[in-house]
Amino acid sequence: MNLTITGYSTALFSTWYFVEELGILFDAGEGLTAALLQKSRKVSHVFISHADRDHLTGLLQFNQLNARKGFPIIYFPKHSGSFPALEQFSKKFDPHVSATIWNPVSEETPIWIRDNIFVAPIRNGHVPAAKETIKSLGYKVIQTKKKLKPELLHLGGAEIKKIIEEQGEANTYVEHRTNLLSYSGDTPVEDPARWDHSGILIHEATFLDTGEKQTVHTHGNKHSRLEEVMEMVSGIHIQKLVLGHFSSRYSPEQIDRRINELCDKYAINIPVYRLLPGETVRDILAGKTVN
Ligand SMILES: [Zn+2]
């Protein structure tokens, strides 16, 4: 499946990614409706990673413009108090917009957005919290496909139909799962296995260098360094990498140079795309790669 992804992601200011074919929005930082215009009406499912303001302040206007019966559905980390507060405020502030559904989610909740596609929330350690407390999530988009069991492949349609009738679908098909897209949200680099076999990985890379102080603007919340991300990527199988959430302290040249150095260092040959600070990038994957 070809995905048209448009986004903006600069640490501290705003982050959002719109996946057109899936009608999905990951995060909702400000500026999203101003950039997407009528296309923002194509969004049905909004997955918010955490309650930092640069990831959610676009919701008010988005909601006001786009709410329709049963949609949009806004999914957010189960224990973030900001979202119920925003829901209440939004309903009071814009009483004509009551259709929006606000849905708290945790790792146990697969969210089906189509018959064969679901989104799986992945807990991460961006916001320090007790283990059972869900305050920060990444998301994986998984496509499922029923495939005939290998031992039945030689059979004709009528015979297969008979087996389904006699033994049920579960004994006729196996389910294959394909990870179309993963979105890290804000997160330190943690368990690389969670992103393995992603078709596309959108990962944050707030800081370029390992040595510098990282306390600025993070309020104690944890972020990724570019080198850790690239090292992780070199150890797993993904097809395309999109890097975002860079700190605005870096120039475009610094960012691109560092990405290229690290592609060399870790022998990364997959296409790597990036969202530079302050830039809205339309159809990211149709653009030029950095490496
Ligand atoms: Zn952020």
Side-chain angles (χ1 to χ4, degrees):
M1 186 186 283
N2 269 338
L3 296 179
T4 308
I5 305 173
T6 291
Y8 179 101
S9 183
T10 304
L12 183 67
F13 294 100
S14 175
T15 287
W16 54 267
Y17 292 93
F18 168 54
V19 189
E20 200 167 324
E21 290 78 1
L22 301 174
I24 283 180
L25 189 65
F26 289 114
D27 281 329
E30 66 173 36
L32 84 96
T33 45
L36 290 176
L37 302 175
Q38 295 297 344
K39 281 203 170 171
S40 60
R41 294 178 194 267
K42 288 188 169 187
V43 174
S44 297
H45 301 271
V46 182
F47 297 90
I48 307 288
S49 62
H50 64 295
D52 279 354
R53 300 317 187 221
D54 50 319
H55 293 253
L56 61 72
T57 42
L59 278 178
L60 215 57
Q61 171 67 331
F62 167 78
N63 208 10
Q64 195 274 125
L65 288 172
N66 296 312
R68 57 208 187 270
K69 205 173 175 346
F71 290 103
I73 308 176
I74 298 169
Y75 306 89
F76 58 87
K78 196 173 167 183
H79 299 113
S80 292
S82 290
F83 296 96
L86 193 59
E87 176 182 4
Q88 258 187 2
F89 173 76
S90 156
K91 285 179 172 164
K92 218 170 163 182
F93 192 61
D94 290 318
H96 61 288
V97 182
S98 54
T100 304
I101 296 169
W102 299 74
N103 239 342
V105 295
S106 64
E107 281 194 303
E108 291 80 55
T109 341
I111 301 141
W112 289 89
I113 59 165
R114 298 221 185 127
D115 286 348
N116 63 339
I117 297 179
F118 69 90
V119 175
I122 310 289
R123 186 187 189 281
N124 68 48
H126 174 58
V127 182
K131 213 169 181 267
E132 58 287 349
T133 306
I134 311 291
K135 292 215 165 189
S136 183
L137 296 168
Y139 294 98
K140 297 204 276 198
V141 183
I142 312 283
Q143 185 172 41
T144 64
K145 231 179 223 162
K146 279 192 313 189
K147 285 193 179 166
L148 211 54
K149 285 191 166 181
E151 63 269 28
L152 304 178
L153 278 174
H154 64 284
L155 299 176
E159 288 168 293
I160 290 164
K161 211 175 150 203
K162 200 169 156 232
I163 296 177
I164 295 175
E165 281 165 11
E166 284 169 2
Q167 303 179 29
E169 287 214 343
N171 288 308
T172 318
Y173 297 100
V174 275
E175 190 191 71
H176 282 251
R177 293 186 167 194
T178 311
N179 179 323
L180 300 176
L181 170 67
S182 296
Y183 173 57
S184 72
D186 282 10
T187 182
V189 169
E190 296 170 320
D191 170 23
R194 68 176 52 150
W195 309 128
D196 205 3
H197 302 292
S198 298
I200 301 157
L201 172 62
I202 301 175
H203 206 288
E204 75 123 300
T206 306
F207 301 107
L208 289 192
D209 297 304
T210 44
E212 70 195 308
K213 246 184 132 188
Q214 295 180 17
T215 48
V216 189
H217 308 318
T218 62
H219 312 293
N221 289 350
K222 296 183 184 133
H223 287 283
S224 297
R225 294 183 296 226
L226 181 62
E227 179 154 10
E228 296 170 315
V229 177
M230 300 306 263
E231 190 183 1
M232 170 185 75
V233 165
S234 72
I236 57 177
H237 297 92
I238 62 172
Q239 288 165 25
K240 291 173 184 175
L241 175 64
V242 177
L243 296 164
H245 207 271
F246 290 105
S247 163
S248 61
R249 76 181 72 169
Y250 306 116
S251 70
E253 295 74 28
Q254 281 177 305
I255 292 170
D256 286 358
R257 199 183 322 125
R258 190 78 182 126
I259 293 174
N260 275 299
E261 281 169 12
L262 292 167
C263 281
D264 288 347
K265 182 172 176 183
Y266 293 101
I268 291 170
N269 299 314
I270 57 166
V272 179
Y273 306 83
R274 81 321 189 212
L275 283 78
L276 294 171
E279 275 187 5
T280 300
V281 186
R282 288 173 199 281
D283 198 356
I284 297 166
L285 302 176
K288 272 185 29 185
T289 59
V290 207
N291 55 337

